Amino acid sequence: MKKIRIAIDGPASSGKSTVAKQLAQKLQYVYLDTGAMYRCMTLSLLEHHVDLTDETLVSEWIKKQKIEFITHDNQQSVLLNGENVTLAIREARVSKHVSLISSYKHVREELVRQQRAYIQQGGIIMDGRDIGTVVMPEAELKIFMVASAYERAKRRYQEHVQRGDYTQSVEEIQRQIEKRDYIDSTRLESPLTKANDAIEIDTTELNINQVVEKIMSYL
Ligand code: DC
């Protein structure tokens, strides 16, 4: 089968990365989690106590950070300046601030430039918010995944529980998700929007396998 480029966009916790990872494994494609890149930058800023509201300082800082993805035993890890931050970038403090950092124009320009370097003729899956619209508008297949905020909060809650983290209720997580949705879709720089040629999949009532099968059928 000809290898193509696949763009998967959608709001927070709509299941994009789980689906993208499974598809990449099935198809032997390269997978790029662009949200992880915004998370790495946010983590680095927090660790070094950079003033997150100072857009100029933030933009200068992120240019000096190095993000790498490595794959080991079919598991992808992300390194920030050589340190494995795969788990740290999922912490609540990062989720809380990442939408602000990703709303900055120069932050987006820098990360989009880095993301484009991964684009190949085919055999790549990227997930994020602006992949089908800005990063890889030439993708042959574009998917826009949605799910109700309650369903997304429940999924995130389950992930927390699996890590032994009971600090937040489903309701609290839902409020945070709705806040991030709002910031991500109303920001000036490439807000979360569905590309005209994207196929929308509502995953509220679907499990991961069903979504993967649906996308496979579009291939
Ligand atoms: O997919 P995620 O939850 O890991 O993404 C974290 C944040 O990064 C999200 O709130 C919005 C931002 N993001 C973005 O603006 N553009 C992307 N391509 C990917 C993520």
Side-chain angles (χ1 to χ4, degrees):
M1 203 193 298
K2 180 179 175 273
K3 290 200 165 188
I4 62 164
R5 291 159 288 195
I6 305 177
I8 304 184
D9 289 298
S13 308
S14 52
K16 302 180 299 289
S17 61
T18 315
V19 165
K21 266 183 226 154
Q22 287 205 7
L23 274 172
Q25 248 186 27
K26 252 186 184 335
L27 298 164
Q28 290 297 300
Y29 278 22
V30 171
Y31 164 55
L32 186 70
D33 176 354
T34 64
M37 299 173 77
Y38 290 93
R39 286 175 178 275
C40 277
M41 295 307 180
T42 307
L43 176 69
S44 168
L45 292 157
L46 287 169
E47 299 260 284
H48 293 86
H49 309 286
V50 178
D51 178 359
L52 302 187
T53 62
D54 187 333
E55 188 169 349
T56 312
L57 212 59
V58 166
S59 307
E60 286 306 313
W61 179 266
I62 66 134
K63 286 194 188 130
K64 293 181 251 158
Q65 310 309 309
K66 187 167 176 223
I67 300 172
E68 293 161 281
F69 290 94
I70 53 165
T71 306
H72 192 68
D73 288 339
N74 269 331
Q75 293 289 321
Q76 201 176 64
S77 301
V78 56
L79 307 185
L80 171 65
N81 302 322
E83 189 192 337
N84 191 333
V85 292
T86 314
L87 291 179
I89 60 168
R90 303 288 154 198
E91 286 171 13
R93 63 186 174 130
V94 175
S95 302
K96 192 168 163 204
H97 298 288
V98 65
S99 283
L100 172 68
I101 301 309
S102 60
S103 70
Y104 294 151
K105 182 169 189 274
H106 296 294
V107 170
R108 300 204 70 79
E109 279 173 1
E110 175 58 23
L111 289 188
V112 167
R113 189 186 64 75
Q114 294 183 20
Q115 289 155 12
R116 286 211 175 117
Y118 286 88
I119 304 178
Q120 321 173 355
Q121 283 303 79
I124 180 138
I125 303 183
M126 278 196 208
D127 78 344
R129 304 292 188 289
D130 58 347
I131 309 303
T133 50
V134 177
V135 180
M136 204 164 57
E138 66 278 35
E140 288 88 354
L141 179 61
K142 297 181 188 177
I143 304 291
F144 194 79
M145 284 176 49
V146 296
S148 75
Y150 177 62
E151 179 60 30
R152 290 184 282 138
K154 272 199 317 195
R155 289 175 190 168
R156 218 3 85 98
Y157 177 78
Q158 286 306 330
E159 282 172 21
H160 287 193
V161 168
Q162 270 167 21
R163 291 202 301 260
D165 175 359
Y166 293 90
T167 49
Q168 287 181 304
S169 65
V170 176
E171 290 72 24
E172 251 176 290
I173 298 176
Q174 183 172 342
R175 272 198 297 278
Q176 278 175 5
I177 283 182
E178 284 169 344
K179 192 168 166 206
R180 273 174 63 197
D181 283 355
Y182 179 76
I183 303 177
D184 293 346
S185 39
T186 56
R187 70 180 178 220
L188 289 175
E189 295 301 322
S190 44
L192 169 68
T193 38
K194 183 177 149 213
N196 290 334
D197 50 351
I199 300 167
E200 182 166 318
I201 302 179
D202 186 335
T203 71
T204 309
E205 309 280 339
L206 301 176
N207 64 34
I208 298 295
N209 284 341
Q210 288 170 314
V211 181
V212 170
E213 286 313 313
K214 223 176 175 31
I215 298 177
M216 291 291 286
S217 74
Y218 296 128
L219 281 170

